[in-house]
Amino acid sequence: MRHQKHYFKMETKTESDMVIIEGPVDSDTLRTYTFDDNLTAFRRPDEQFQALVEIAELPEGRIIVSHINKHIVGYIIFLHPDPLERWSDGNHSFIMELGAVEVALPCRGLGLAGKMLELSTYDDFIENYIIITTEYYWHWDLKNSGLDVYEYKNLMIRLMQRAGYEVFQTNDPEITGHPANTLMARIGKNINDRQMQQFDEIRFKNRFLI
Ligand SMILES: CC(=O)SCCNC(=O)CCNC(=O)[C@H](O)C(C)(C)COP(=O)(O)OP(=O)(O)OC[C@H]1O[C@@H](n2cnc3c(N)ncnc32)[C@H](O)[C@@H]1OP(=O)(O)O
């Protein structure tokens, strides 16, 4: 599949700032932006910013950002699943992963994650993908949210559902290892029965082994 990326942009006003939400953003543009020190959920901010730049260069990679005067305060990453994980079995070009969504602590609760997710669906080309997202509680900021794992799980499900993601069952040990961990996926409108079946096979790998 030749991956096509179509750029979209929106603006939203907070009490004090104008936030630009845009993407997919290319690597050259990203390099002209700065990255907020509070974006620490997945890696050190400098390492995560470098990862964003590299993923933007991948043929399938999509980076959606929220920024205030070119200072990134939130992002979403889309790319093919990690080759070391079961979700990449078969190397299907139609399977993508929402690898991370994060908003800097001072900017949370303003609707930025919801708006970035909404913007990510504007490009009709994503209707050619099954986009999975594996939600593991160890990435969640329980401390600052004041939520317990199940409340946070519900927050994530509600957030993702607004962009067309649904909860899917799987026998993946990382997901089944804790009841708060969740597999969600967004099934693009152009996905056919054969592709759905291939996705089912990945979700329930080794089903008949004891
Ligand atoms: C695949 C993955 O990436 S899993 C890991 C997800 N990322 C993380 O947990 C990293 C740390 N957390 C964050 O970066 C942010 O809290 C996010 C990304 C989860 C949410 O970002 P935000 O911009 O704050 O979300 P947004 O403002 O759009 O709110 C989404 C919903 O969560 C609710 N919400 C947000 N924070 C809270 C809170 N502390 N308590 C209760 N509800 C909350 C909002 O009310 C909203 O619900 P609604 O749609 O029913 O009104």
Side-chain angles (χ1 to χ4, degrees):
M1 182 193 301
R2 202 181 141 262
H3 300 277
Q4 294 173 26
K5 306 179 200 177
H6 304 109
Y7 170 87
F8 291 88
K9 177 178 174 179
M10 62 163 95
E11 293 177 355
T12 183
K13 214 171 160 3
T14 69
E15 267 180 28
S16 51
D17 297 296
M18 180 63 83
V19 184
I20 307 272
I21 298 165
E22 60 172 351
V25 182
D26 62 51
S27 57
D28 287 341
T29 305
L30 278 176
R31 284 193 192 92
T32 67
Y33 292 178
T34 52
F35 196 73
D36 197 89
D37 280 345
N38 289 289
L39 294 166
T40 56
F42 296 90
R43 291 199 187 96
R44 279 185 15 207
D46 56 333
E47 291 172 357
Q48 189 66 343
F49 187 33
Q50 183 56 31
L52 256 60
V53 171
E54 287 170 19
I55 291 165
E57 281 171 358
L58 298 173
E60 84 284 6
R62 286 168 182 261
I63 304 295
I64 310 291
V65 295
S66 294
H67 65 86
I68 301 167
N69 295 325
K70 300 190 176 185
H71 182 67
I72 297 172
V73 293
Y75 64 86
I76 307 184
I77 294 173
F78 296 91
L79 76 173
H80 282 321
D82 186 327
L84 296 175
E85 295 199 353
R86 73 152 71 189
W87 311 109
S88 65
D89 283 5
N91 286 321
H92 300 301
S93 60
F94 65 88
I95 297 196
M96 290 278 276
E97 178 164 9
L98 186 167
V101 50
E102 182 175 7
V103 172
L105 185 56
C107 298
R108 288 190 195 155
L110 302 174
L112 296 184
K115 288 196 168 68
M116 288 192 291
L117 278 160
E118 183 192 329
L119 184 126
S120 75
T121 66
Y122 286 178
D123 183 353
D124 280 345
F125 197 79
I126 72 153
E127 303 303 341
N128 297 307
Y129 297 132
I130 292 177
I131 306 175
I132 64 151
T133 169
T134 52
E135 282 148 31
Y136 302 128
Y137 76 89
W138 46 85
H139 286 143
W140 299 343
D141 187 356
L142 297 170
K143 192 171 122 223
N144 285 308
S145 69
L147 304 175
D148 67 32
V149 280
Y150 300 104
E151 290 168 332
Y152 209 113
K153 173 184 172 128
N154 287 336
L155 177 159
M156 289 307 302
I157 290 176
R158 275 201 329 270
L159 176 65
M160 303 298 299
Q161 277 174 337
R162 282 175 27 202
Y165 294 76
E166 308 159 57
V167 175
F168 278 85
Q169 300 306 311
T170 175
N171 63 5
D172 179 66
E174 291 231 74
I175 298 289
T176 58
H178 192 286
N181 290 350
T182 314
L183 170 69
M184 295 188 78
R186 182 185 190 283
I187 313 297
K189 292 190 182 75
N190 304 331
I191 291 296
N192 60 37
D193 290 348
R194 172 83 190 116
Q195 290 169 322
M196 239 1 244
Q197 193 186 334
Q198 288 169 319
F199 178 49
D200 292 347
E201 284 161 14
I202 297 173
R203 287 193 296 125
F204 292 104
K205 210 167 128 177
N206 301 331
R207 191 169 10 174
F208 302 111
L209 294 181
I210 297 179

